[in-house]
Amino acid sequence: MSVADDVTLAELTLYERLGGANAIDHLVDTFYAQMDTVPEAATIRAMHPDDLGPIKAILKRYLTEWTGGPRLYSPEKGHPRLRSRHVGFPIGEAERDAWLSCMRTALSVAIADDVARIEIYTNMAKLADWMRNLPGNPHDARRAGH
């Protein structure tokens, strides 16, 4: 790879490195297929409606924007406020781990760029950990001043 290639790669958004809209669609579809079939994901699947179509569309718009693609989520939904949007669902370590397992598999199937796949998984793992709302989440203790 030449220096020019490095500069070009550095200028690409994560969205572009992942493969754009087709890759996001494939990622989300694969993720929810995992959630539908992996026994360890039964608890988190039960938190979703039977018809995943609307939720898939929301996640596709969110991930598009989150990875640097077109603004498809915030014009409709505003700030993501993910933790407050999920507060009604019990999310502990097991739920986080099941979600991340489904996402890890989906990323391995849908995203060819190894570096981009690792980058998005690393960021998603931090986000998934932040989403925990059951007792024992270290983020809650920090906010409470402990």
Side-chain angles (χ1 to χ4, degrees), residues 55-138:
I55 240 30
K56 284 182 181 183
I58 291 169
L59 184 56
K60 288 175 183 182
R61 289 191 303 269
Y62 173 76
L63 289 177
T64 295
E65 189 168 327
W66 188 65
T67 58
R71 289 180 38 120
L72 302 177
Y73 180 88
S74 59
E76 177 187 337
K77 298 280 190 181
H79 188 279
R81 300 181 338 233
L82 294 179
R83 199 148 192 251
S84 65
R85 290 183 196 270
H86 290 80
V87 74
F89 302 100
I91 302 171
E93 289 182 10
E95 293 78 15
R96 175 205 58 201
D97 293 349
W99 192 93
L100 284 171
S101 177
C102 292
M103 186 54 73
R104 184 181 307 110
T105 299
L107 284 164
S108 71
V109 169
I111 306 302
D113 182 320
D114 292 339
V115 175
R117 186 174 55 248
I118 292 167
E119 184 178 337
I120 196 169
Y121 181 80
T122 300
N123 290 327
M124 285 183 167
K126 291 174 188 173
L127 182 59
D129 194 52
W130 170 248
M131 298 296 289
R132 290 187 300 137
N133 57 22
L134 294 179
N137 183 346

